[in-house]
Amino acid sequence: MLRSVAAVVLDDVAPFELGVLCEVFGLDRTADGVPPIDFRICGQRPGEPVRTSVGMQVVPGHGLDELSRADVVAVPAARIRDDYPQDVLDGLRSAAARGATMLSVCSGAFLLGAAGLLDGRRCTTHWFYVSDFRHRFPTAELDPDVLYVDDGDVVTSAGTAAGIDACLHLVRRELGSTAATRIARRMVVPPQRDGGQRQFIDLPVPECTGESLEPVLAWMQETLDVEHSVAALAARAQMSPRTFARRFVAETGTTPNQWLATQRVLHARRLLEDTELGIEQIARECGFGSASLLRHHFRRIVGVTPRDYRRAFARTADSVPQ
């Protein structure tokens, strides 16, 4: 059931992520047909200001004892720290033990992790914090590509706006799609978004750690529209195909074909963002040869289709070819 939500705030809480919780759960939308939700902001010392990450303060109206009564305990993003307050950790553990649903937004997953609530559980967090999260919580089953993860009584979301997706999903799960759609309409956001975090991440360019292949890599980047075989690349590098393939993996960390596919997708992303070229022409200019092959590799690497990516990120007019 979703009748009550308690949001936990610590010093250096992120106001946007806290605002997401307030917007979805804290406003009275009974006039729109949404069942009432008892929403409370809770802190270690109710009535005392808690600083935020942007210089202003919020004043929690309730103490941590409210965690023992809420159906959902929500944790917004806050400064990641090595040591979290023991009373907050104990409150989260007790709430989870009695069956409350735990919800985190962005880096709030670190607090759930510190409480031991993500051990062996599927979860996510902002892509920027993935390495740190895995280092701190090696037994958590982190999925860095998705907008949110529903693992039953634990729901975690990726960065910032993905918290909206997770909150609306929880409303949909507990109160039905009508309630979620009506809240989304009032917030002027889609009730459900496609894709995952990968579409928002700048793909790293695989770098060459040695010097022997740098001229070949530069030439490959300049001729992405050309069909490259390992044999032809090896001949250009004046190596045998076997030696070239082995050296390529050693110096770039990936295979020639995968390196090329990633570079071509990077180029396709730029063309989708900055030009009005059609998908077929972009496929040819990037060396994929056909739109279907472009779509295959683009979705595999970025997580969404070229059309959806252009719709979200194009810097040109709305009427670009699809």
Side-chain angles (χ1 to χ4, degrees):
M1 295 296 295
L2 180 53
R3 294 166 298 192
S4 58
V5 177
V8 182
V9 293
L10 300 176
D11 279 334
D12 300 313
V13 64
F16 182 93
E17 284 79 351
L18 175 59
V20 167
L21 298 173
C22 296
E23 182 73 21
V24 176
F25 302 117
L27 297 182
D28 182 358
R29 301 193 190 277
T30 53
D32 294 327
V34 179
I37 299 173
D38 182 11
F39 179 75
R40 303 190 175 192
I41 298 179
C42 308
Q44 292 175 274
R45 293 171 294 279
E48 294 187 17
V50 173
R51 68 175 179 268
T52 71
S53 58
V54 296
M56 65 180 185
Q57 297 176 324
V58 297
V59 180
H62 303 273
L64 298 177
D65 56 311
E66 292 295 333
L67 306 189
S68 65
R69 292 183 281 273
D71 297 321
V72 174
V73 175
V75 182
R79 173 174 56 86
I80 298 169
R81 57 204 84 188
D82 293 330
D83 297 304
Y84 287 90
Q86 191 60 49
D87 54 348
V88 175
L89 296 176
D90 290 341
L92 293 174
R93 294 180 185 124
S94 296
R98 68 169 174 79
T101 296
M102 314 304 290
L103 168 67
S104 70
V105 180
C106 192
S107 63
F110 282 77
L111 178 51
L112 295 186
L117 301 179
L118 299 181
D119 295 342
R121 305 293 297 264
R122 292 179 56 248
C123 58
T124 192
T125 190
H126 194 296
W127 61 264
F128 186 81
Y129 303 122
V130 165
S131 296
D132 188 15
F133 187 91
R134 283 177 168 156
H135 175 73
R136 293 171 186 255
F137 313 112
T139 63
E141 298 180 12
L142 183 71
D143 186 343
D145 293 334
V146 296
L147 295 176
Y148 61 85
V149 170
D150 182 344
D151 198 40
D153 55 359
V154 176
V155 178
T156 51
S157 75
T160 311
I164 299 174
D165 300 286
C167 291
L168 290 175
H169 167 76
L170 188 57
V171 171
R172 186 182 307 109
R173 190 185 83 177
E174 299 297 328
L175 300 179
S177 59
T178 298
T181 299
R182 288 176 178 173
I183 293 174
R185 184 179 297 120
R186 288 292 297 270
M187 294 176 65
V188 198
V189 297
Q192 190 167 355
R193 285 193 296 167
D194 296 326
Q197 290 197 77
R198 279 180 291 168
Q199 62 187 301
F200 304 103
I201 303 172
D202 285 335
L203 294 176
V205 178
E207 295 183 355
C208 182
T209 58
E211 296 182 357
S212 60
L213 293 183
E214 287 182 354
V216 176
L217 294 178
W219 180 74
M220 291 166 68
Q221 284 185 310
E222 294 171 359
T223 57
L224 291 175
D225 59 331
V226 175
E227 183 65 33
H228 295 294
S229 68
V230 172
L233 294 170
R236 189 174 187 87
Q238 298 182 335
M239 300 177 187
S240 70
R242 178 175 296 181
T243 299
F244 175 80
R246 184 172 62 249
R247 183 75 62 80
F248 200 99
V249 172
E251 295 189 9
T252 69
T254 188
T255 66
N257 287 335
Q258 183 56 50
W259 193 92
L260 265 174
T262 301
Q263 296 306 305
R264 285 168 170 160
V265 167
L266 278 169
H267 188 40
R269 284 176 59 159
R270 288 189 288 269
L271 294 177
L272 288 166
E273 292 174 9
D274 299 333
T275 76
E276 299 183 10
L277 297 176
I279 302 299
E280 285 284 355
Q281 188 172 351
I282 289 176
R284 290 193 298 271
E285 294 210 5
C286 293
F288 284 118
S290 68
S292 61
L293 197 57
L294 167 61
R295 283 191 288 268
H296 168 76
H297 287 286
F298 200 94
R299 184 159 196 137
R300 177 177 61 83
I301 293 173
V302 181
V304 294
T305 66
R307 175 179 296 179
D308 288 341
Y309 184 85
R310 168 171 267 170
R311 185 180 296 118
F313 296 101
R315 301 188 182 97
T316 52
D318 293 336
S319 57
V320 292
Q322 302 296 318

